[in-house]
Amino acid sequence: MEINVALFCNLTSDHRIRKSNWPGFSCSSIGAKTGKRIKIKSFCGLDLFATRNVRSCVVVRCSSSQENCLRPKPRPKPKPIVEHVDRGSNLDDTYSASPDSSAFFDHIEKLVFFKRYEEALELFEILRSRGNLVAVRASTYDSLVSACIGVGSVREVKTVFQHMIETGFKFDQYMRNRVLVMHLKCGMMVDARHLFDDMPDRNIVSWSIMISGLVEVGSYEEAFNLFLLMWGEVSDASPRMFATIIRATAGLGFILAGRQFHSCVIKMGFYKNIFISCALIDMYSKCGCIEEAQWVFDEMPEKTVVGWNTIIAGYALHGYSEKALDMYYEMCSANVQMDHFTYSIIFRICARLGSLEHAKQAHAGLVRNGFGLDIVANTALVDLYCKWGRMEDARNVFEKMPRRNLPSWNALIGGYGNHGMGIEAVKMYEKMREEGMDPDHVTFLAILGACNYSGLLDKGREIFEMMSRNASTKPRAMHYACMIELFGREGLLDEAYALIKNAPFRPTKNMWAALLTACRIHKNLELGKFAAEQLFGLGPEKLSNYIVLLNIYNSSGRVDEAAKVVEALKRRGIRLLPACSWIEIKKQPHKFLFGDKSHPQSLKIYEKLDSLMSEIVELGYVPDWKSLLPDVADHEQKMLTYHSEKLAIAFGIISTPDFTPLQVVQGHRICSDCHTVIEFLTLITKREIIVRDASRFHHFRCGSCSCGDYW
């Protein structure tokens, strides 16, 4: 066993070990040259040896007085826990405490104070390994509880608690609560509930600890029922308790109960409590009552950063992204000190809105306020840049992160995959594995999606087969859908269909939809019709699936079947909505519909678009009159030239300097004619154009698209 000697002694400039003035510790002043072994005598009855290495660090090894070096002692077999200790028995017959045990206790407490939890628990193991049960004082047990919470080790929790039982430790209410916290923090929920139920006396702190622990792990219903039981016994609760139970009602979606708790805290005079106000804002937001959440926020006596974060997240949760962004700027005007959660929320809002300019300002604020290295905020920033094609910016943020977690890797791998950079995605995946990071189902979905978008059939098959061989990474339905789409992309429709038939679960809508898309691309009418029938039988009809089937019939010249699909849509009341596209210029979003002339610069937009169309015709562009536009009305096909995404791009071209990349959001799946037109536009304008449609990201550059004409 090794213990860092820095806590027990100091090194002088000539590297000599001084005598410690702590009880139970003594050593002779001997020169400590590099590699030299020094004996330090009498540390709690054990001999210690110190060795100075080349980095001026001193490592202490303990040994018995009869041996030069003590090998790691095997852990004793756990003894059965004694549920009831006879308080009248003579404990001196059970255990004995040596005179120098108090030194052990002092050092354990000091180690815990300096957050050196593992070393403290190692010293406790030394104490236990001495043979006899040693009585430990309450303050040391309190420190050991903190150490167990710090390391989060279930084994250490059981060891410490068993020692407390075996030595007949007399629990007071404080220590009962501490032991309960220890079990909850280490995830031992069943044992914690048994301890709570067996408590002879429970105060308000005991109830609060147990209910808070249940809420933390998402056991909202059990926490709610336990609160009602507590209310029946004591009819009292602290402000923290009310904040916790309001969180539980938010998790359950119990708006009626949440309003009752709101009334209760007002009657009890807690309505000015910051924690309760934030919990109420969160509860009303998650239950869909955003106006009531805003009212609670407005009534807060002091609007803290947590309150601002909660109301902003509430607006974002319900799709009010613009309002959420407005609240963020109000927060800036109020001179509230933001935290990393604020920036994480804003980055996600900007990703949804496609607002890179706002995101860049938030990025600057993140660095300026000292959160430039925060892992949560930087992961959200990587995700933002990935979603809008700024892969170089995303990679730069990723490389500067001092520490990366699994979501960080997943965001970058998924970003490369979405933009057709499958080889880069595979390299990042392999690098992640080399650094010892184990992938999860999100990682596998990202890498399989990357293989799909880039046509890496062999690599995708290899990863899928590896997942199938490992019981802990068995492919899920979403992974099957990726492989089906990958097989379909390569024209292997038989293998795609076989994968559906041989799946160990019932095929999902995404799996059949992937096969249907493959049949549309490769014009396999019979299999496409069968996939559509299976898809429609699984649940509510989705408009895009009907449109895919409609495209199959149109491209195959089956006009009668196409007409039947249109009639089926009318009978079911499924309406074909007009396509809509957005582009942001100088922080202002601009919306376009097909044939839209409502924009103030519509005259210039149409002139520019007509000019561009004339140029691409000279390059060989031929309009695609056969393809019905996915998800859009039939009369829109007659206006191929003036589709919404073309108008948005034309506006972007006349509103930005030459060679500026353009980013367009399309609410529907882009049609094949617009896809072809944009490929030509990148040739004549020398611009990169990124279109995010309902299917995926399309990264157009130099006359080609990252999707490889498969979407």
Side-chain angles (χ1 to χ4, degrees), residues 34-281:
T34 301
K36 187 172 181 180
R37 192 163 177 263
I38 307 164
K39 183 175 181 181
I40 307 173
K41 297 180 180 180
S42 182
F43 173 59
C44 303
L46 300 174
D47 289 343
L48 299 179
F49 293 90
T51 305
R52 179 172 180 267
N53 58 26
V54 294
R55 295 178 297 174
S56 298
C57 297
V58 177
V59 176
V60 174
R61 299 181 182 273
C62 57
S63 73
S64 67
S65 58
Q66 299 176 353
E67 298 177 349
N68 289 333
C69 185
L70 180 67
R71 295 179 179 177
K73 183 178 180 65
R75 298 189 182 278
K77 295 182 179 179
K79 299 180 181 179
I81 297 178
V82 181
E83 298 292 342
H84 301 285
V85 178
D86 185 3
R87 302 297 182 185
S89 63
N90 185 5
L91 293 177
D92 292 335
D93 296 336
T94 307
Y95 66 90
S96 62
S98 60
D100 55 2
S101 294
S102 60
F104 258 106
F105 304 156
D106 290 337
H107 292 312
I108 288 174
E109 293 174 20
K110 290 174 183 176
L111 286 168
V112 173
F113 178 80
F114 288 106
K115 301 186 185 305
R116 297 164 65 174
Y117 302 127
E118 293 182 357
E119 295 177 43
L121 292 169
E122 288 173 358
L123 275 182
F124 179 65
E125 286 294 331
I126 294 175
L127 179 67
R128 292 180 64 246
S129 67
R130 298 178 65 176
N132 296 326
L133 290 174
V134 178
V136 177
R137 62 196 184 201
S139 62
T140 305
Y141 274 135
D142 193 15
S143 296
L144 288 170
V145 167
S146 298
C148 291
I149 295 172
V151 299
S153 170
V154 173
R155 186 184 67 81
E156 299 294 352
V157 170
K158 291 181 177 180
T159 299
V160 171
F161 185 59
Q162 178 176 326
H163 192 272
M164 298 172 81
I165 297 297
E166 290 178 344
T167 57
F169 177 73
K170 294 182 179 181
F171 291 90
D172 57 12
Q173 190 62 50
Y174 171 78
M175 284 305 298
R176 288 193 190 97
N177 291 338
R178 288 285 289 158
V179 170
L180 180 61
V181 170
M182 175 176 69
H183 282 77
L184 288 169
K185 291 292 186 181
C186 294
M188 303 169 66
M189 302 305 298
V190 176
D191 294 335
R193 186 58 193 264
H194 287 323
L195 285 172
F196 178 78
D197 292 338
D198 293 340
M199 278 186 175
D201 297 304
R202 291 189 287 260
N203 58 12
I204 194 68
V205 177
S206 309
W207 288 97
S208 181
I209 291 170
M210 191 67 221
I211 293 173
S212 299
L214 291 170
V215 172
E216 288 297 328
V217 297
S219 299
Y220 302 124
E221 187 172 356
E222 187 178 355
F224 189 82
N225 293 332
L226 197 61
F227 177 84
L228 297 179
L229 182 63
M230 180 207 74
W231 194 258
E233 289 188 11
V234 299
S235 298
D236 190 19
S238 64
R240 291 273 185 144
M241 172 68 80
F242 275 113
T244 301
I245 199 61
I246 290 170
R247 284 181 56 200
T249 59
L252 293 170
F254 287 172
I255 183 61
L256 180 59
R259 286 175 175 149
Q260 290 177 336
F261 284 128
H262 191 178
S263 301
C264 190
V265 298
I266 291 176
K267 292 177 181 178
M268 298 182 69
F270 296 151
Y271 63 93
K272 292 185 178 180
N273 185 276
I274 298 299
F275 298 102
I276 291 178
S277 296
C278 293
L280 285 170
I281 295 170

Side-chain angles (χ1 to χ4, degrees), residues 23 57 82 103 117 124 197 294 412 445 468 495 541 625 632 640:
C57 297
V82 181
Y117 302 127
F124 179 65
D197 292 338
Q294 181 68 57
L412 190 62
L445 182 63
S468 303
E495 291 191 43
E541 292 90 348
W625 298 104
V632 296
L640 280 175

Side-chain angles (χ1 to χ4, degrees), residues 321-322 325-326 352-358 581-592 599-600 648 651 663 665:
S321 300
E322 293 85 358
L325 204 57
D326 291 341
R352 183 184 299 173
L353 291 174
S355 178
L356 278 176
E357 293 301 322
H358 290 293
S581 299
W582 296 264
I583 187 171
E584 184 183 80
I585 303 295
K586 297 179 180 179
K587 299 185 183 179
Q588 293 297 321
H590 298 264
K591 182 175 72 172
F592 295 90
H599 196 277
F651 174 68
Q663 294 176 327
V665 181

Side-chain angles (χ1 to χ4, degrees), residues 365-395:
L366 176 78
V367 176
R368 186 170 57 251
N369 289 314
F371 301 111
L373 301 180
D374 181 77
I375 189 171
V376 176
N378 276 283
T379 298
L381 189 57
V382 170
D383 182 61
L384 165 71
Y385 284 134
C386 287
K387 284 182 176 177
W388 293 102
R390 300 298 182 93
M391 295 310 302
E392 292 183 4
D393 293 334
R395 184 63 178 268

Side-chain angles (χ1 to χ4, degrees), residues 320-425:
Y320 300 110
S321 300
E322 293 85 358
K323 178 62 176 177
L325 204 57
D326 291 341
M327 293 296 294
Y328 164 71
Y329 284 111
E330 285 186 32
M331 183 181 181
C332 295
S333 301
N335 295 321
V336 178
Q337 184 64 42
M338 303 177 190
D339 60 11
H340 60 285
F341 290 111
T342 310
Y343 293 106
S344 299
I345 297 168
I346 296 305
F347 290 147
R348 289 179 172 86
I349 293 171
C350 292
R352 183 184 299 173
L353 291 174
S355 178
L356 278 176
E357 293 301 322
H358 290 293
K360 289 177 180 178
Q361 286 190 349
H363 188 182
L366 176 78
V367 176
R368 186 170 57 251
N369 289 314
F371 301 111
L373 301 180
D374 181 77
I375 189 171
V376 176
N378 276 283
T379 298
L381 189 57
V382 170
D383 182 61
L384 165 71
Y385 284 134
C386 287
K387 284 182 176 177
W388 293 102
R390 300 298 182 93
M391 295 310 302
E392 292 183 4
D393 293 334
R395 184 63 178 268
N396 288 336
V397 173
F398 180 83
E399 294 294 344
K400 291 178 181 178
M401 294 173 66
R403 186 171 60 90
R404 305 171 188 125
N405 58 9
L406 191 55
S408 308
W409 288 97
N410 291 346
L412 190 62
I413 293 171
Y416 278 127
N418 287 335
H419 291 282
M421 304 170 71
I423 295 177
E424 288 296 326

